[in-house]
Amino acid sequence: MTHSVLNALLNPDSVALIGASDHPARIGGRPLRYLMTSGYQGEIFPVNPNREHVQGVRAYPDLASLPKAADVALLAVPASATVQAVRDCAEKGIQTAIVFSAGFAEAGDEGKIMQQQMLDAAKETKLRLLGPNCLGVFNAYKKFYGTFSTVLDGHFIEPGAVSIVSQSGAYGSHIAHLCRKRGLGVGYWVTTGNECDIDMAEALGWVVEQPEVKVVLAYAEGIRHRDRFIAALEKAQQNGVSIIFMKVGRSAVGAQAASSHTAALAGSDTVFDAVLRQYGVYRAKTTAEQIDIAYAVTRAGQVTGNRLGIFTLSGGFGIQMADDAEAAGLDVAPMPEAAQDELRQLLPYASPVNPVDATAQAVTDLPMMTAFIRAMIEKGQYHFFAGILGSGPSSPTFADALCQALDEATENATSCIKCLTMSAPVDIIRNYEDKGFLVYEDGAALIHALGAIVQLKQWQEAAKDQLKASSGSTIAIPQRMMNEHEAKHILGQAGVPFPAEEFVDVMQDPAQAANRIGYPQVMKIASADLPHKTEVGGVKLHLNSAEEVRQAKQDMLDRVRQLAPDAHIDGVILSPMISGGIETIVGVFNDDTFGPVVMFGLGGVFVEVLKDITFRIAPFNHQEAYRMIMEIKGSAMLEGVRGELPADIDALANMLADLSQFAASNAHQFESIDLNPVIVRPKGKGVVALDALIIPKK
Amino acid sequence: MTHSVLNALLNPDSVALIGASDHPARIGGRPLRYLMTSGYQGEIFPVNPNREHVQGVRAYPDLASLPKAADVALLAVPASATVQAVRDCAEKGIQTAIVFSAGFAEAGDEGKIMQQQMLDAAKETKLRLLGPNCLGVFNAYKKFYGTFSTVLDGHFIEPGAVSIVSQSGAYGSHIAHLCRKRGLGVGYWVTTGNECDIDMAEALGWVVEQPEVKVVLAYAEGIRHRDRFIAALEKAQQNGVSIIFMKVGRSAVGAQAASSHTAALAGSDTVFDAVLRQYGVYRAKTTAEQIDIAYAVTRAGQVTGNRLGIFTLSGGFGIQMADDAEAAGLDVAPMPEAAQDELRQLLPYASPVNPVDATAQAVTDLPMMTAFIRAMIEKGQYHFFAGILGSGPSSPTFADALCQALDEATENATSCIKCLTMSAPVDIIRNYEDKGFLVYEDGAALIHALGAIVQLKQWQEAAKDQLKASSGSTIAIPQRMMNEHEAKHILGQAGVPFPAEEFVDVMQDPAQAANRIGYPQVMKIASADLPHKTEVGGVKLHLNSAEEVRQAKQDMLDRVRQLAPDAHIDGVILSPMISGGIETIVGVFNDDTFGPVVMFGLGGVFVEVLKDITFRIAPFNHQEAYRMIMEIKGSAMLEGVRGELPADIDALANMLADLSQFAASNAHQFESIDLNPVIVRPKGKGVVALDALIIPKK
């Protein structure tokens, strides 16, 4: 269904243009001009009640007069006329319509109503809508330009391995322009605007299925359909398509602006961030970074490892790049000893370790430099070669000789990704690119991009090995507040380990239960009305005998009744004192956009001072839980510091995965779950949660 | 002294070129060509024994034949001939010589010897040397080009408010090229190479005194002369000159490459980083960042605050910029309510809060847009205005009209720094710049640069208010290991607060001393041989009576003698048990380059897991100590979390400053000092160090 719709939208054999204008710079004129000059081979049906021809093409007075239902209709009419135009499209049996006009949901209540009317009209048939308030689409392979974006004024964009899916038309245009400027072809380009129907997730899902697509530059302010979005990300991982995502609204001001800007529920940015990490999407912080990484994905061959050999003519540049490489997770592995000797023989002043510094002398003897680099690449077995040329190639005569020398030096290095940094005019850069080099002006940008493609590769590999998380079973959760004992009973069924415990009701003598538990033990008040037990004297530690337990119970009931006279008290809970282990906290909450989200963090100052917590959407499996645990700053605590034993990270990961599966299958029944603290014991000894709180669905 | 030398070097009225070549592309030919074509007004004396004229200029057979001692000599002869050339310069009475040739200390032992010989020859007179292995200098104001850098081939660089001081010639050339490309003039340019004599600190000290200089782009791998370097940084702060520093060797591999690359002691990068922070220098991570910030410093007027008004034609861009602004420490303050109404009246669809989103409609009515922006700037009272134009201005006709509209809108905004982001050809950008706009292609780069200039301004202001740290008094430190009691006695004189304590020697009954201290108390072994007391049973807590103390002493002596039979034991130390407060650690070590460095961190997991520590070089004052404390990640702990009282940060800052002054005045007497733990009590209650260890100078 989606497939045929998106095919009609992005691969149409016929297109109707409602509001077609003779003026090639108007919204109704520009798409027609593009379609006429691009070489588009499909049929074009301009619709204009006042003219027989528009820009020299035969026009039709209305949609009903078209000889056939076009695959896609472009609606270049004012907002006020759009509802009727959509009705006409629906009646004609058109499959998809792109609504350019603004003035809908983004513009206030009247616009919202109009947007809904338009959607209702479309839903009466199978008509699907893109927009409103969008800049449309293009498919450069088919030379189909269903857009009025000015970015194509003067120059089209060549098709290529990059595609762009953007909520914002202006952002989509800007980044398309930057791709072109960088020499990157763009195949499919979709802007979704207000997303009254087709959203960026649906468009993304189609784009990542196209065989020409290697990388998608995505932009969003928020997501409407969790499942569509996740499905698109999963498909991208399976197909080895890299997604470089710009999600705005990181900051408080930004998030506020985002919700005033679109009708989207922005969702919590933290959760969004977790989703992207979970599904192997690279979240870019800047537009420049998006382009830099897309360039690397597009131009680099297969990424097979992270070892980087740096070749420089000046030590300082080499060091700078080595610094950046370490931060980017690349391995600046030294040359093998024997190879170092060989390089030293070729060039006695060279520093042959890595960075390999041939010094400025190397350029005075290019054949020698060629031999030197060839030896470096052959013996170094690097996955990446990065040569630093500085401003040398800005002189055209020298640039050609140098390019020739580098090409000869690297011609056998087929399994090595060849990169250069230089500043030079664009035609010189294209010449180097034609020889298979990735060229960056800034060394830091190159290294950052290489780090990103290694990361993307690792994510894609990990996704292949990863079993889908199974869903947990449905367990009935009472739709009322529960006491701790009840909450533990439910979560125990979900696989969360708790210490043995005994519930003793208000009237019952606790001695027998206490003896079964053993000493020392803990007593806690059991009351659905008192989630914060300490504050009302509802926790007593270090009880060492049945007599102490009996006395403590009486004291606790007296005190709690005094401090919380309105609370209904069910009784007390007895459990063994647990000491040692590492304190962590685990929670689940229901996000408006993404559903149940599992949170994990270390207890104490890590959570309270450093906010050292991380998130995943449910469900996920053991491996993902492991990644989640290891990405908090304090994870070294769990691996054992100061001679402590390593903690049972495996058991913790199991617990998190089980909880996530329970959460996914029972999301409709709860608002949130807290397990605080969860004690992680030394390896092999498991984990145990000491408290539990479930807030049922409101 | 330095002044006259650097004046001769960078502002010479006459220049000798030893090894002058007729070939304008050779090392001995290029400087001559530059000097001939640049319009340099000083005298030029080529020296060449084989020719009467070089490049048409009268040449001299040797230095002795020159009609006068030139202010500066450029030595373009091979390394092997350089020592003699330096001798000749010295004999002629020349003040400064620039040695271009490589093959000295960077090239092995022979080179090292030659470099020393050259230096010895210079030192016999007052001849000062720049280099060897450097690309020389230029002064674009005077059109003096004492360099063979190819970066000037074809185009000179206009003089301007940027200067460049770089150890690496290649880096210096590259960054000069990037400045030119960005339209930034470069006044003074110095590359120092091997720094056998004049180093980058000395050059920097001169450059920051020149009235034309607003910003220095600096590059170093290491620093040779601490005091020169610090003096240069202080002078820059006083003169309001911003330094944007690229110090390579952050990573392990990078630092290793740096030490193989130059003869410099790279010093510890962490300490270097602390020094830059301490003296208000911006440390850039990338070259692109250096240029972006230099551009902002140069083009922006006075920075008077951090409020940023964002104007956008597309919501998404505005949100993205707001995100970046928050991270950069800029305040995206909302428009006043009344002004929002005014903007809404001008443009009903606008989102007038901030980011102010005029929507794409604004460009259809430029006079309205002009009025809109004018109102925004007048009413918003922003320190920065950032307008987002996307790829709009890439069309020349539209670009001019837009530029006109923006110019009119902002013509009265004299106290507001006006910035734009756009992608357009360079001539269009220059046109906008001529109207006083700062223009960036990437919004993130703009915001990052604005954050940096606000930061630089704050540092310069803070430096003005800041009193110089006074030096501490000299206190004799025994040049042997000391026991804890002795170490505390010395550091107590330096102002470090310790609890009252009593030393009891091995034979003495501890009862009287114990009663003076009071209970509960702590006993520790006093032995210069046992810095790690716990491991040998040398610490006993919770002693509650004279009898317990007596018994504990006997037990402790027995146990320590058994576990450490070779240790000399002086006795035991008694002190009151201290509980509560926040545990921190303080230390001092002597860095090879920068001398005594004070370290501060929070105890426990903060140090052990998170490495949450920070450094300053000694001495520093209370304010600097305060900044130091507040920059650790866990500083919130000291301000009070979870309802705890705020800690006595003032007392802690006093202690750190006192210790730093003691350390500076007594650096020759110790290797390191440890105070671990130092307990910080609630505000007003002071700090107290519970242990002390001094390692005397080796």
Side-chain angles (χ1 to χ4, degrees):
Chain A
M1 163 77 189
T2 280
H3 260 176
S4 73
V5 171
L6 271 294
N7 268 326
L9 187 70
L10 275 155
N11 227 345
D13 289 323
S14 53
V15 47
L17 173 58
I18 296 89
S21 163
D22 218 33
H23 194 304
R26 299 196 57 177
I27 292 184
R30 200 178 279 123
L32 184 56
R33 174 162 59 92
Y34 292 156
L35 290 167
M36 307 275 303
T37 52
S38 69
Y40 174 63
Q41 300 292 313
E43 292 173 278
I44 307 170
F45 306 121
V47 176
N48 183 321
N50 307 316
R51 309 179 68 97
E52 290 206 356
H53 288 86
V54 180
Q55 296 185 41
V57 185
R58 189 203 153 171
Y60 299 83
D62 49 36
L63 272 158
S65 330
L66 298 199
K68 62 195 275 196
D71 286 340
V72 64
L74 312 179
L75 272 54
V77 293
S80 55
T82 304
V83 180
Q84 187 54 49
V86 167
R87 280 205 190 100
D88 296 346
C89 288
E91 261 168 46
K92 184 73 187 177
I94 285 174
Q95 248 189 301
T96 57
I98 301 176
V99 184
F100 292 147
S101 201
F104 288 91
E106 86 286 359
D109 288 339
E110 271 178 58
K112 267 187 201 136
I113 292 167
M114 241 177 359
Q115 185 167 312
Q116 188 58 46
Q117 288 171 339
M118 180 172 74
L119 189 59
D120 291 344
K123 277 193 177 156
E124 281 171 24
T125 63
K126 295 255 153 102
L127 176 61
R128 297 290 309 275
L129 300 178
L130 184 72
N133 190 22
C134 78
L135 287 186
V137 305
F138 72 67
N139 171 352
Y141 290 106
K142 204 184 174 84
K143 303 181 194 300
F144 167 63
Y145 294 93
T147 174
F148 66 100
S149 170
T150 55
V151 80
L152 302 171
D153 271 349
H155 304 277
F156 287 106
I157 290 176
E158 292 296 308
V162 179
S163 281
I164 294 172
V165 178
S166 174
Q167 259 183 300
S168 159
Y171 194 87
S173 298
H174 178 62
I175 202 164
H177 170 77
L178 295 176
C179 283
R180 176 174 55 195
K181 197 174 147 198
R182 190 67 173 268
L184 294 176
V186 179
Y188 303 100
W189 183 86
V190 188
T191 69
T192 54
N194 283 10
E195 304 190 338
C196 79
D197 178 10
I198 296 170
D199 65 353
M200 71 96 59
E202 189 171 356
L204 189 65
W206 183 86
V207 165
V208 301
E209 293 269 88
Q210 306 313 306
E212 310 90 346
V213 176
K214 280 182 80 172
V215 54
V216 180
L217 298 175
Y219 169 96
E221 287 149 28
I223 286 298
R224 280 158 214 277
H225 298 287
R226 173 205 192 275
D227 293 348
R228 269 191 206 162
F229 185 59
I230 301 298
L233 302 186
E234 283 180 336
K235 247 189 285 177
Q237 275 192 317
Q238 285 154 18
N239 297 349
V241 174
S242 299
I243 302 178
I244 320 296
F245 213 108
M246 171 60 68
K247 155 73 169 66
V248 297
R250 293 196 312 272
S251 66
V253 179
Q256 204 177 350
S259 56
S260 80
H261 172 238
T262 69
L265 274 169
S268 150
D269 189 72
T270 317
V271 174
F272 200 99
D273 198 66
V275 171
L276 296 187
R277 249 177 296 132
Q278 192 165 348
Y279 289 92
V281 174
Y282 194 96
R283 182 172 185 180
K285 286 205 180 61
T286 70
T287 308
E289 189 189 3
Q290 271 188 302
I291 300 289
D292 281 332
I293 299 172
Y295 178 91
V297 175
T298 311
R299 304 244 172 203
Q302 201 66 9
V303 176
T304 52
N306 75 336
R307 279 207 316 283
L308 169 72
I310 300 173
F311 171 82
T312 181
L313 301 169
S314 161
F317 282 116
I319 303 163
Q320 194 184 5
M321 189 173 277
D323 287 347
D324 293 334
E326 187 172 278
L330 301 175
D331 179 12
V332 185
M335 292 287 293
E337 292 285 348
Q340 292 188 22
D341 291 341
E342 193 176 322
L343 292 182
R344 253 186 229 105
Q345 273 164 25
L346 283 164
L347 201 56
Y349 290 160
S351 172
V353 184
N354 189 19
V356 175
D357 178 6
T359 79
Q361 275 201 285
V363 292
T364 60
D365 182 355
L366 289 178
M368 187 279 305
M369 191 186 87
T370 299
F372 187 89
I373 293 177
R374 190 179 285 140
M376 174 188 167
I377 292 179
E378 263 170 30
K379 303 294 161 58
Q381 294 289 308
Y382 295 111
H383 304 107
F384 299 98
F385 166 82
I388 305 173
L389 306 182
S391 52
S394 53
S395 143
T397 41
F398 181 57
D400 285 352
L402 193 60
C403 185
Q404 181 76 18
L406 282 161
D407 185 34
E408 279 171 27
T410 58
E411 62 192 350
N412 298 324
T414 46
S415 64
C416 175
I417 296 170
K418 310 182 299 181
C419 312
L420 298 171
T421 68
M422 65 170 83
S423 51
V426 69
D427 52 324
I428 289 178
I429 289 175
R430 295 287 176 271
N431 189 23
Y432 279 80
E433 286 175 340
D434 289 345
K435 305 284 189 194
F437 292 100
L438 281 68
V439 182
Y440 286 74
E441 182 167 84
D442 192 77
L446 163 64
I447 294 302
H448 185 72
L450 296 185
I453 64 174
V454 168
Q455 179 72 84
L456 281 161
K457 180 72 181 179
Q458 285 167 352
W459 284 334
Q460 281 159 11
E461 293 293 326
K464 272 186 205 157
D465 301 337
Q466 200 158 316
L467 298 167
K468 272 263 201 191
S470 48
S471 28
S473 47
T474 309
I475 297 169
I477 300 176
Q479 292 305 292
R480 56 167 173 80
M481 290 300 291
M482 287 152 273
N483 72 41
E484 177 182 331
H485 187 65
E486 293 171 289
K488 283 173 168 170
H489 179 71
I490 291 163
L491 293 166
Q493 294 174 64
V496 177
F498 295 101
E501 73 176 30
E502 297 268 351
F503 171 75
V504 181
D505 77 23
V506 173
M507 302 304 296
Q508 199 180 340
D509 176 52
Q512 270 194 314
N515 287 335
R516 281 195 298 271
I517 293 291
Y519 304 96
Q521 67 183 249
V522 182
M523 178 183 293
K524 292 195 268 185
I525 200 78
S527 164
D529 298 335
L530 300 172
H532 306 293
K533 295 178 277 281
T534 314
E535 292 165 15
V536 292
V539 179
K540 181 82 183 153
L541 309 177
H542 299 292
L543 300 173
N544 285 310
S545 66
E547 196 40 53
E548 280 184 34
V549 170
R550 195 174 282 141
Q551 185 60 47
K553 184 184 173 209
Q554 198 49 53
D555 293 349
M556 184 177 287
L557 291 177
D558 290 350
R559 184 149 178 76
V560 171
R561 279 173 183 143
Q562 191 188 340
L563 290 173
D566 298 334
H568 176 81
I569 298 168
D570 300 319
V572 297
I573 305 164
L574 301 177
S575 60
M577 281 280 289
I578 305 282
S579 60
I582 293 170
E583 206 175 290
T584 65
I585 68 172
V586 171
V588 188
F589 63 92
N590 249 315
D591 182 75
D592 286 341
T593 305
F594 287 103
V597 177
V598 178
M599 187 210 71
F600 168 71
L602 281 181
V605 295
F606 285 96
V607 165
E608 310 221 357
V609 180
L610 302 166
K611 316 288 176 221
D612 187 18
I613 48 179
T614 184
F615 301 89
R616 286 293 186 279
I617 58 170
F620 51 82
N621 64 15
H622 179 92
Q623 284 151 287
E624 191 64 39
Y626 193 90
R627 290 206 329 190
M628 179 182 185
I629 294 165
M630 298 318 284
E631 81 189 15
I632 63 169
K633 295 187 213 102
S635 61
M637 283 289 287
L638 294 165
E639 293 178 298
V641 288
R642 236 182 158 173
E644 300 277 342
L645 291 172
D648 200 336
I649 299 177
D650 265 342
L652 178 61
N654 280 337
M655 195 205 102
L656 287 166
D658 286 349
L659 181 66
S660 80
Q661 288 156 25
F662 166 80
S665 302
N666 297 279
H668 55 292
Q669 298 191 82
F670 69 90
E671 282 298 318
S672 68
I673 298 169
D674 276 308
L675 296 168
N676 181 10
V678 172
I679 303 298
V680 189
R681 292 163 148 162
K683 201 164 182 164
K685 309 276 185 193
V687 297
V688 59
L690 300 192
D691 199 349
L693 176 65
I694 302 177
I695 310 282
K697 200 79 183 174
K698 276 188 200 104
Chain B
M1 163 79 190
T2 281
H3 260 176
S4 73
V5 171
L6 271 291
N7 267 324
L9 188 70
L10 276 156
N11 227 345
D13 291 321
S14 53
V15 48
L17 173 57
I18 295 86
S21 164
D22 218 32
H23 194 305
R26 298 198 55 178
I27 292 184
R30 200 179 279 124
L32 185 55
R33 173 162 58 93
Y34 291 156
L35 289 168
M36 307 275 303
T37 52
S38 69
Y40 173 61
Q41 298 293 313
E43 293 173 277
I44 307 171
F45 306 122
V47 176
N48 184 320
N50 306 317
R51 308 179 68 99
E52 291 207 357
H53 289 87
V54 179
Q55 295 186 41
V57 185
R58 187 198 153 173
Y60 300 82
D62 49 37
L63 270 158
S65 328
L66 299 197
K68 63 195 277 194
D71 287 341
V72 64
L74 313 180
L75 271 55
V77 293
S80 56
T82 304
V83 180
Q84 187 54 51
V86 167
R87 279 203 191 101
D88 296 345
C89 288
E91 260 169 46
K92 184 71 187 178
I94 286 175
Q95 252 190 298
T96 56
I98 301 176
V99 184
F100 292 149
S101 201
F104 289 92
E106 86 287 358
D109 288 339
E110 272 178 60
K112 269 188 199 133
I113 293 167
M114 244 184 347
Q115 185 166 314
Q116 189 57 47
Q117 289 171 338
M118 179 172 74
L119 189 59
D120 291 343
K123 278 195 175 155
E124 282 173 23
T125 64
K126 296 256 154 99
L127 176 61
R128 297 290 309 277
L129 301 177
L130 184 72
N133 189 23
C134 78
L135 286 187
V137 305
F138 72 68
N139 170 352
Y141 291 106
K142 205 183 172 85
K143 303 180 193 300
F144 167 63
Y145 295 92
T147 175
F148 67 100
S149 169
T150 55
V151 80
L152 301 171
D153 272 348
H155 304 276
F156 287 106
I157 290 175
E158 293 295 307
V162 179
S163 282
I164 294 171
V165 178
S166 174
Q167 259 182 301
S168 158
Y171 194 86
S173 299
H174 177 63
I175 201 163
H177 170 78
L178 295 177
C179 283
R180 178 175 53 197
K181 196 174 148 201
R182 190 67 173 269
L184 294 176
V186 179
Y188 304 99
W189 183 85
V190 188
T191 68
T192 54
N194 282 12
E195 304 191 337
C196 78
D197 179 9
I198 296 170
D199 66 353
M200 72 97 59
E202 189 171 356
L204 189 64
W206 184 86
V207 165
V208 301
E209 293 270 88
Q210 306 313 305
E212 310 90 348
V213 176
K214 281 181 82 171
V215 55
V216 180
L217 298 175
Y219 169 95
E221 286 148 30
I223 287 299
R224 278 157 216 279
H225 299 287
R226 173 206 193 276
D227 294 347
R228 267 191 207 163
F229 184 59
I230 300 298
L233 301 187
E234 284 181 335
K235 245 188 288 179
Q237 275 194 315
Q238 285 155 17
N239 297 349
V241 173
S242 299
I243 302 178
I244 320 297
F245 212 109
M246 172 59 70
K247 154 72 169 67
V248 296
R250 293 196 311 272
S251 66
V253 179
Q256 205 177 350
S259 56
S260 80
H261 171 239
T262 71
L265 274 167
S268 149
D269 188 72
T270 316
V271 175
F272 201 99
D273 198 66
V275 171
L276 296 186
R277 249 178 296 131
Q278 193 164 347
Y279 290 92
V281 174
Y282 195 96
R283 182 172 187 180
K285 287 205 179 64
T286 71
T287 308
E289 188 189 4
Q290 271 188 302
I291 300 288
D292 281 332
I293 298 172
Y295 177 92
V297 174
T298 310
R299 304 244 173 205
Q302 200 67 10
V303 176
T304 52
N306 75 335
R307 281 208 314 282
L308 168 72
I310 301 173
F311 171 81
T312 181
L313 301 169
S314 160
F317 282 116
I319 303 164
Q320 194 184 5
M321 189 173 277
D323 287 347
D324 293 335
E326 187 172 278
L330 301 175
D331 178 11
V332 186
M335 292 287 293
E337 292 285 349
Q340 292 189 24
D341 291 341
E342 195 176 322
L343 293 182
R344 254 187 229 103
Q345 272 163 25
L346 284 163
L347 202 57
Y349 289 161
S351 172
V353 184
N354 189 17
V356 174
D357 178 5
T359 79
Q361 275 201 286
V363 292
T364 60
D365 181 356
L366 289 178
M368 186 281 303
M369 192 185 86
T370 298
F372 187 89
I373 293 177
R374 189 180 286 139
M376 173 186 167
I377 291 181
E378 263 171 29
K379 303 293 161 57
Q381 294 290 309
Y382 295 111
H383 303 107
F384 299 98
F385 167 81
I388 305 172
L389 306 183
S391 53
S394 54
S395 142
T397 42
F398 180 58
D400 285 350
L402 193 59
C403 186
Q404 181 77 18
L406 283 160
D407 186 34
E408 280 170 28
T410 58
E411 63 192 348
N412 297 324
T414 47
S415 65
C416 176
I417 296 169
K418 310 183 299 181
C419 312
L420 298 171
T421 67
M422 65 171 83
S423 51
V426 70
D427 52 324
I428 289 177
I429 288 174
R430 294 287 175 270
N431 189 23
Y432 279 79
E433 286 175 339
D434 290 344
K435 305 282 190 196
F437 291 101
L438 281 67
V439 182
Y440 286 74
E441 182 168 84
D442 192 77
L446 163 64
I447 293 301
H448 185 71
L450 296 185
I453 64 173
V454 168
Q455 180 72 84
L456 281 161
K457 179 72 181 181
Q458 285 167 352
W459 283 335
Q460 281 159 10
E461 294 292 327
K464 273 187 204 157
D465 302 337
Q466 201 159 315
L467 298 167
K468 273 264 199 189
S470 48
S471 26
S473 47
T474 309
I475 297 169
I477 301 175
Q479 292 305 293
R480 55 168 175 78
M481 289 301 290
M482 288 152 273
N483 71 42
E484 177 182 331
H485 187 65
E486 294 171 290
K488 283 174 168 171
H489 179 71
I490 291 162
L491 293 166
Q493 296 174 63
V496 177
F498 295 102
E501 73 176 31
E502 298 266 352
F503 171 76
V504 181
D505 78 22
V506 172
M507 302 304 295
Q508 202 182 339
D509 176 56
Q512 271 195 314
N515 286 335
R516 281 194 299 271
I517 293 289
Y519 305 96
Q521 67 183 251
V522 181
M523 179 184 292
K524 292 195 268 185
I525 200 79
S527 164
D529 298 334
L530 299 172
H532 305 293
K533 295 177 277 282
T534 315
E535 292 166 15
V536 292
V539 179
K540 182 79 183 153
L541 309 175
H542 301 291
L543 300 172
N544 284 311
S545 67
E547 196 40 54
E548 280 184 35
V549 169
R550 196 175 280 140
Q551 185 60 47
K553 184 183 173 208
Q554 199 49 57
D555 293 350
M556 185 177 287
L557 291 176
D558 291 350
R559 184 148 174 78
V560 171
R561 280 176 184 138
Q562 190 188 342
L563 289 172
D566 299 334
H568 177 82
I569 296 168
D570 301 319
V572 298
I573 305 164
L574 302 177
S575 60
M577 283 280 290
I578 305 282
S579 61
I582 293 170
E583 205 175 290
T584 66
I585 67 170
V586 171
V588 188
F589 64 92
N590 250 314
D591 181 75
D592 286 341
T593 304
F594 287 103
V597 177
V598 179
M599 186 211 72
F600 167 72
L602 283 181
V605 295
F606 286 96
V607 165
E608 309 222 357
V609 180
L610 301 166
K611 316 290 177 219
D612 187 18
I613 49 178
T614 182
F615 301 90
R616 287 292 185 280
I617 58 171
F620 51 82
N621 63 16
H622 179 92
Q623 284 151 288
E624 192 63 40
Y626 194 89
R627 289 207 328 191
M628 179 182 185
I629 294 164
M630 298 318 284
E631 81 189 14
I632 62 170
K633 295 187 214 101
S635 61
M637 283 288 287
L638 293 165
E639 294 178 296
V641 287
R642 235 183 159 173
E644 298 279 341
L645 291 172
D648 201 335
I649 299 177
D650 265 341
L652 179 61
N654 281 337
M655 195 203 101
L656 287 166
D658 287 348
L659 181 66
S660 81
Q661 288 157 25
F662 166 81
S665 302
N666 296 281
H668 55 291
Q669 298 190 81
F670 70 90
E671 282 299 317
S672 67
I673 297 170
D674 276 308
L675 296 168
N676 182 9
V678 172
I679 303 298
V680 188
R681 291 162 149 165
K683 200 164 183 164
K685 309 275 186 196
V687 296
V688 60
L690 300 191
D691 201 349
L693 176 65
I694 302 177
I695 310 282
K697 201 79 183 173
K698 273 185 203 109

